[in-house]
Amino acid sequence: MTESSKVNEFLRLIMANQKPIYALILGMIPNRDDAEDIFQETVLVMWSKFDSFERGTSFTAWGIKIAKYKIFQAHRRNARNNFRFSQAAFESLQGKSDNFVKNIERRMQALRKCIRKLSKRDYDLIQMRYENELAIKTIAERLGRTVQSIYKRMARINDSLIRCIRRMLAMEELT
C-alpha cells in the first residue's frame, strides 16, 4: 500500500467514524475543550498505529478502545481537577460506553430522519445553533427575538427530537 493510499484510507475511515468516537469522549469528559484535545490525541495515536488496524474489523470500535485509554490517561494526569474516577467507576463507565457505541449509529440515523421532519423555521434554528455553533444570544439578535424565547424554542425542539427518536427506535424494535 502506498503512503498516499494509506493516508486516503485513514482519512476516509476517520471522517466516517469520528462522531461516535467523539461522542464517547464528550460523554466521559464534560469540558468540550478537554474532550477535543483528547479526540485529537486519539486520532494521532490511531494514525501512528494504523498499520496494526485489522481491515474488515470495526474502525469505530478500534478508535473507541484507543479513546478510552486516552481518557483514562487524562483522568490520571489531570492534577488540577480534584474530581477523579476510581478504577471501578471508570471500568463501569467503560462497560456502559460499549452499549452506547453499539446503539449510536441507530440513534444518529433516527436523529437525521427526525431533523428532516422539522419545520423550516425550527430546522434553521437547529442549524444555527449546532451546525454553525452560534451562541443563543447571537441567534436571538439575528432573529430579532429575546434570548429567553430562543432558549424556550430550543427546549421545545430538543424535546420534540427526543420523542421522535424514541418513537423511531421503538418502531425499529417492533419490526
Side-chain angles (χ1 to χ4, degrees):
M1 175 180 285
T2 67
E3 188 67 20
S4 175
S5 62
K6 178 182 165 184
V7 169
N8 287 340
E9 181 183 10
F10 180 79
L11 290 175
R12 181 183 58 76
L13 287 168
I14 197 67
M15 294 303 290
N17 295 282
Q18 68 183 353
K19 286 181 181 177
I21 297 168
Y22 183 72
L24 171 89
I25 294 168
L26 193 57
M28 296 180 82
I29 304 292
N31 179 293
R32 186 176 292 269
D33 291 335
D34 291 344
E36 288 177 8
D37 289 345
I38 290 171
F39 178 71
Q40 289 175 11
E41 290 174 24
T42 299
V43 171
L44 288 174
V45 171
M46 291 171 74
W47 171 246
S48 71
K49 296 182 180 284
F50 189 55
D51 288 333
S52 69
F53 170 67
E54 293 181 38
R55 273 45 171 200
T57 62
S58 172
F59 188 81
T60 300
W62 180 67
I64 283 172
K65 184 184 230 181
I66 293 169
K68 286 178 182 178
Y69 180 74
K70 296 310 282 180
I71 292 165
F72 182 70
Q73 280 184 324
H75 279 292
R76 292 190 71 186
R77 74 172 180 257
N78 193 356
R80 71 179 191 268
N81 185 355
N82 292 330
F83 173 76
R84 295 184 190 191
F85 289 124
S86 68
Q87 184 65 31
F90 190 77
E91 287 172 8
S92 174
L93 284 172
Q94 283 185 323
K96 291 182 188 317
S97 71
D98 292 341
N99 187 41
F100 171 80
V101 170
K102 288 177 189 172
N103 293 313
I104 195 162
E105 189 53 39
R106 287 179 42 233
R107 290 180 180 146
M108 291 298 291
Q109 288 174 355
L111 175 60
R112 285 185 206 105
K113 289 176 183 176
C114 292
I115 286 174
R116 284 194 295 264
K117 293 179 179 183
L118 292 174
S119 69
K120 170 114 174 74
R121 184 176 134 212
D122 288 348
Y123 177 83
D124 290 345
L125 196 56
I126 290 291
Q127 190 174 30
M128 282 188 274
R129 179 68 182 117
Y130 298 111
E131 193 173 313
N132 301 335
E133 297 182 359
L134 297 179
I136 296 292
K137 183 178 179 184
T138 304
I139 295 170
E141 289 169 358
R142 284 190 180 180
L143 298 177
R145 294 173 58 193
T146 66
V147 170
Q148 185 178 5
S149 72
I150 298 299
Y151 274 117
K152 285 181 181 179
R153 188 70 207 146
M154 291 297 294
R156 283 188 214 111
I157 295 168
N158 288 334
D159 186 54
S160 170
L161 289 172
I162 289 168
R163 284 192 320 271
C164 178
I165 291 167
R166 286 180 180 154
R167 277 192 310 271
M168 291 189 120
L169 294 176
M171 287 178 12
E172 209 176 88
E173 289 174 8
L174 292 175
T175 58

